[in-house]
């Protein structure tokens, strides 16, 4: 069995890296500086409960027109 994602949990000073796919299965709280690199992929689990990302602090988007981040 091969997993193609990493579970996202509450963290401080987090970076969504371009070479990793993240899976959000519940509420995730990010504090401090949150960075989003171009090419990062974040998947949200299809559930009836609240599945979301809350952040407090600066949000730095390191994306571009030809290097977007994907939230699906």
């Amino acid at each position: 069995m091969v997993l193609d994602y990493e579970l996202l949990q509450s963290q401080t000073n987090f970076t969504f890296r371009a070479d990793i796919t993240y899976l959000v299965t519940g509420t995730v709280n990010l504090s401090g500086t949150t960075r989003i690199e171009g090419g990062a992929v974040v998947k949200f689990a299809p559930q009836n409960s609240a599945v979301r990302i809350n952040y407090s602090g600066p949000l730095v988007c390191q994306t571009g027109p030809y290097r977007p981040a994907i939230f699906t």
Side-chain angles (χ1 to χ4, degrees):
M1 182 167 110
V2 177
L3 297 178
D4 70 338
Y5 60 84
E6 194 172 291
L7 285 175
L8 184 59
Q9 300 176 4
S10 297
Q11 300 198 22
T12 301
N13 295 327
F14 184 73
T15 299
F16 289 98
R17 293 183 25 203
D19 58 346
I20 298 177
T21 298
Y22 300 93
L23 178 64
V24 179
T25 59
T27 300
V28 174
N29 297 306
L30 301 175
S31 59
T33 301
T34 301
R35 296 181 187 281
I36 304 172
E37 293 180 350
V41 177
V42 180
K43 296 179 179 181
F44 293 86
Q47 298 177 2
N48 293 333
S49 61
V51 178
R52 63 179 169 220
I53 298 174
N54 299 321
Y55 72 93
S56 60
L59 178 65
V60 180
C61 294
Q62 299 171 323
T63 60
Y66 299 102
R67 192 113 167 110
I70 308 296
F71 288 78
T72 184

